[in-house]
Amino acid sequence: MLRFTKKSHDVLAGVGLAALGLFAAAEAYTYGLMRFGSIASGLFPFVVGLLLAAIGLAIAAGAILSVSAEKPAAFAGGRAVLLLPASVLLFAVLVDRAGLAPATFAATFTSALSVERSTLLGSLLVAACVTLCCVLIFRFGLGIQVSVFKW
Amino acid sequence: MVSWLPNGMADGVMIAMSAQNVIYCILGVTVGMVVGVLPGVGVLTTIALLMPLTFYIDPMTAITMLAGIYYGAVYGGSTAAILLNIPGTASAAVTTLDGYPMAKQGRAGVALFMTTIASFVGSVLGIVLLAAFAFPLARFALEFRSQELFALMFLALVMSSMISSGSALKAFAMVAFGLLAGSVGTDVSTGVHRFTFGAVPLYSGLSLVAIALGLFGLAELIRSANAKDQHSVVATDISMKAMLPTRDDWRRSWMPMLRGTAVGSFFGALPGTGGTVAAFVSYLLERRISRHPERFGQGAIEGIAAPEAANNSAIPTAFIPLLSMGIPGDAILALVLGVLMIHGVSPGPLFMANEPDMFWSIVVSFLLANALLLILNIPLIGVWVRILAIPQTVLLPSIVGLLCIGVYSVSYQVADLYVLVGFGIAGYLLALLHYPIAPFLLGFVLGPMMEENFRRAMALQNGDLLGFFHRPISAVILTLVIVILAATLVLRLRSIRRVRVAAATSD
């Protein structure tokens, strides 16, 4: 399990946000700040980006200067951290290629497995039921324009 | 039409009370409660999860359904708070303080009953205020130009960062991050593609639905999937007899309800604050003025009645600035605004002047939702208790299915699903690092509006930044913003120094 101290992750996050802000400001600068005396597309994101960079640095500096007890923060969630995003990605990959039903089944099955108490058979069963309900509600109830199966 | 009624009122009532609208309101209230009662699922998450369902019906009906979902989610949150000691919603956190002790004393039924009554009273009084003040405020706001709108949005962002739990600095960072995310896509005034890096699906900007569901849906699921603490529902006598409050309960509750409503209406209408603050303040107020403050936390019924009334009266009053000025006070209303705009409704003074019937139909659908909850909630408490017992293994896949199809079906763009995943992971990490998520969403929705108003104001002022201070209202609001920011900075520096001095002397 990954473990960071509270202090180090505050520093890390602050620096990360500052980097994001600087990157955004630099990118926004290329859109132009002013054009013919009026505000161009870049000014607003440029200023906000610099602001984010300043706040990020302040957070990092505050964390370095602070003397609070360093409580370790554990990454909770277990395998769900990987399996839940993966289930949405599976849906994304399958929905245009295989259709609504296979995509929903893949997503719900994968997400069912992310609960630690789950069993393979139980997950298959739950995924099948949820898929059936979703297809009935969305395709036939609400009439969304996605084919149920594509071959 | 009857001429002595306010303009559009009769039409609005007719629209809201049409059979179709009533059915969708019942549907909204029911699904709102079912999802809202689930542990760990807040009002924001519930609305985010269920808003794709409203995209298939006409705007008027969709708004009625949305009102039902909103109120259902709030009621559901309180139910979970009392029965499980875990608040389904942040504003229901206060309800756990006395609600759970009551449940342990076997008085869960009474607590739920009083919650329902207090919520209803608070809501209805709040709705009356909405009906009374929205039009005068809208007429006043007709005078507003870009300067005032920009200043008000700025105030809403600053205030909502100040009141979010934890570090204000982190909240400001999230606001800035949200503003940046809001600027992704084609710049409406120049046609320049910003932060799209050549990806065509990004030209129309990041999808609000995908972002909201990522930050509040997927992120929440990841965190709760394997939560260590399994909560058990308190065994509850849910017969009607056990639920009826005693004469003493009534006597002690009605004044706190009214005071709670007053507190809630105030904080609801104030930009940046909302139900959560209102609930906390009214709870503290009741404890302060009580002759027996020691009873609070031990199952005092006033400790439920006041915050529940406050929390619920804050909802309609928060719609006063949203509908009459187009300014959402918190993240939930930002989401509601986003949904309204997807339906082609843009609130503001012009909306109030041109579409009074729509305004009245919103008011009536709020009343309808509350009346339905009053009727549905109490007899169905047994059902809500059973919903709380649905195992994770069934719940989680169902929500994931809803998430995927919900996001995809908005515009049939696979890219939206990648946005969902990205913000799901980001939301999970940010919550681990104690960054508040709600200010991000407010920044995301307000960003484009702020930029547009800023540009317009600057054009009107010939590029003079000080022009914002030449108009009295915007000058007052911006001065307020500056004072708040300066005060935060001073307090923060002082607290750092104090901690360092304390640490130095203790070594």
Side-chain angles (χ1 to χ4, degrees):
Chain A
M1 183 174 279
L2 270 162
R3 270 176 194 280
F4 280 112
T5 62
K6 184 175 178 337
K7 193 164 171 168
S8 70
H9 76 217
D10 264 354
V11 175
L12 214 65
V15 171
L17 284 170
L20 183 74
L22 281 180
F23 170 74
E27 173 73 17
Y29 187 77
T30 65
Y31 308 145
L33 303 186
M34 299 296 284
R35 195 156 161 269
F36 307 128
S38 69
I39 294 168
S41 305
L43 187 73
F44 188 79
F46 178 74
V47 172
V48 174
L50 288 186
L51 206 65
L52 180 58
I55 298 169
L57 288 180
I59 291 172
I64 291 171
L65 289 175
S66 81
V67 284
S68 60
E70 302 195 359
K71 271 178 275 166
F75 276 56
R79 60 190 185 200
V81 179
L82 290 177
L83 283 178
L84 285 179
S87 64
V88 180
L89 288 177
L90 269 175
F91 182 89
V93 170
L94 288 173
V95 71
D96 274 353
R97 294 179 177 83
L100 185 65
T104 310
F105 183 80
T108 48
F109 177 64
T110 313
S111 59
L113 288 178
S114 73
V115 181
E116 254 138 46
R117 296 186 303 279
S118 62
T119 60
L120 200 64
L121 194 66
S123 300
L124 279 170
L125 202 67
V126 168
C129 292
V130 174
T131 303
L132 186 66
C133 291
C134 283
V135 168
L136 287 178
I137 293 172
F138 282 92
R139 181 67 189 91
F140 300 106
L142 297 168
I144 64 167
Q145 301 300 309
V146 186
S147 30
V148 177
F149 287 102
K150 275 184 196 166
W151 305 110
Chain B
M1 274 297 154
V2 197
S3 58
W4 48 268
L5 283 175
N7 190 16
M9 189 176 182
D11 288 336
V13 175
M14 299 285 280
I15 297 166
M17 297 305 287
S18 71
Q20 187 196 0
N21 273 27
V22 174
I23 289 169
Y24 274 101
C25 195
I26 295 175
L27 200 66
V29 162
T30 315
V31 291
M33 271 212 78
V34 167
V35 178
V37 83
L38 301 173
V41 180
V43 177
L44 201 57
T45 315
T46 307
I47 297 178
L49 270 171
L50 296 175
M51 64 188 183
L53 296 178
T54 70
F55 293 156
Y56 307 96
I57 43 188
D58 71 275
M60 214 68 125
T61 312
I63 292 169
T64 314
M65 188 175 175
L66 204 63
I69 291 172
Y70 195 163
Y71 271 108
V74 174
Y75 272 66
S78 308
T79 306
I82 290 167
L83 293 176
L84 281 181
N85 197 27
I86 43 160
T89 63
S91 52
V94 188
T95 309
T96 58
L97 299 177
D98 278 289
Y100 191 65
M102 278 184 83
K104 281 198 294 194
Q105 294 158 15
R107 281 165 49 82
V110 178
L112 289 170
F113 192 96
M114 198 48 95
T115 295
T116 308
I117 301 291
S119 304
F120 183 76
V121 170
S123 293
V124 171
L125 293 177
I127 293 167
V128 171
L129 291 176
L130 169 64
F133 286 106
F135 278 105
L137 190 64
R139 270 194 290 279
F140 181 60
L142 269 178
E143 304 296 313
F144 285 8
R145 294 294 171 264
S146 298
Q147 287 90 338
E148 282 79 20
L149 290 174
F150 175 80
L152 273 169
M153 291 173 195
F154 203 169
L155 181 68
L157 287 183
V158 170
M159 293 279 278
S160 72
S161 313
M162 304 289 310
I163 60 121
S164 61
S165 57
S167 151
L169 214 52
K170 286 182 173 175
F172 287 140
M174 293 310 289
V175 167
F177 189 15
L179 290 172
L180 279 179
S183 67
V184 172
T186 309
D187 178 5
V188 280
S189 25
T190 58
V192 172
H193 301 308
R194 297 191 292 195
F195 303 113
T196 56
F197 306 106
V200 178
L202 285 181
Y203 285 2
S204 53
L206 295 167
S207 149
L208 172 71
V209 180
I211 285 190
L213 282 178
L215 290 176
F216 295 95
L218 190 58
E220 202 51 56
L221 283 182
I222 297 174
R223 278 202 308 165
S224 67
N226 291 301
K228 292 285 176 291
D229 40 357
Q230 283 295 321
H231 298 271
S232 54
V233 183
V234 180
T236 313
D237 184 356
I238 46 170
S239 64
M240 202 62 197
K241 198 162 152 259
M243 272 200 276
L244 281 179
T246 62
R247 188 180 288 260
D248 186 48
D249 289 332
W250 284 113
R251 192 181 54 75
R252 283 195 280 135
S253 296
W254 70 272
M255 269 312 282
M257 262 185 226
L258 294 182
R259 280 192 293 263
T261 303
V263 170
S265 309
F266 175 73
F267 283 107
L270 209 63
T273 58
T276 311
V277 184
F280 269 103
V281 171
S282 74
Y283 185 82
L284 295 176
L285 176 74
E286 289 307 320
R287 200 171 60 184
R288 173 69 55 83
I289 63 175
S290 170
R291 262 173 287 169
H292 303 283
E294 70 282 355
R295 286 178 44 252
F296 282 78
Q298 311 292 325
I301 199 152
E302 305 94 299
I304 299 175
E308 281 297 325
N311 177 18
N312 280 274
S313 64
I315 298 172
T317 53
F319 274 81
I320 299 175
L322 179 72
L323 294 176
S324 58
M325 301 191 289
I327 293 178
D330 63 14
I332 295 175
L333 285 167
L335 194 60
V336 170
L337 176 65
V339 179
L340 290 179
M341 293 199 318
I342 291 172
H343 283 295
V345 178
S346 45
L350 289 177
F351 163 79
M352 296 293 288
N354 298 338
E355 291 173 88
D357 51 338
M358 198 123 170
F359 168 78
W360 287 112
S361 89
I362 292 175
V363 170
V364 175
S365 55
F366 279 179
L367 277 177
L368 185 65
N370 275 286
L372 286 170
L373 280 162
L374 191 64
I375 300 166
L376 289 177
N377 197 18
I378 294 171
L380 288 183
I381 282 170
V383 177
W384 309 137
V385 172
R386 226 157 287 146
I387 288 175
L388 284 169
I390 296 178
Q392 254 328 326
T393 41
V394 175
L395 204 57
L396 194 99
S398 315
I399 299 182
V400 168
L402 204 61
L403 272 176
C404 292
I405 303 178
V407 167
Y408 179 69
S409 66
V410 174
S411 50
Y412 305 108
Q413 288 244 358
V414 171
D416 287 348
L417 291 162
Y418 298 126
V419 173
L420 171 72
V421 173
F423 278 90
I425 294 170
Y428 169 71
L429 291 176
L430 287 167
L432 273 186
L433 297 167
H434 301 289
Y435 281 81
I437 309 293
F440 176 92
L441 198 64
L442 198 57
F444 176 74
V445 172
L446 283 180
M449 294 158 68
M450 277 181 87
E451 182 181 7
E452 198 187 327
N453 282 299
F454 181 74
R455 279 180 173 179
R456 244 186 255 155
M458 289 298 274
L460 289 169
Q461 293 155 197
N462 295 320
D464 178 13
L465 205 56
L466 288 175
F468 283 100
F469 291 91
H470 292 163
R471 294 173 63 89
I473 298 174
S474 78
V476 168
I477 299 169
L478 284 177
T479 311
L480 189 66
V481 169
I482 292 168
V483 169
I484 293 173
L485 288 177
T488 321
L489 196 67
V490 170
L491 287 176
R492 169 115 185 101
L493 288 177
R494 202 177 281 172
S495 78
I496 287 178
R497 194 181 312 148
R498 195 178 309 136
V499 170
R500 288 187 71 80
V501 168
T505 49
S506 68
D507 280 345

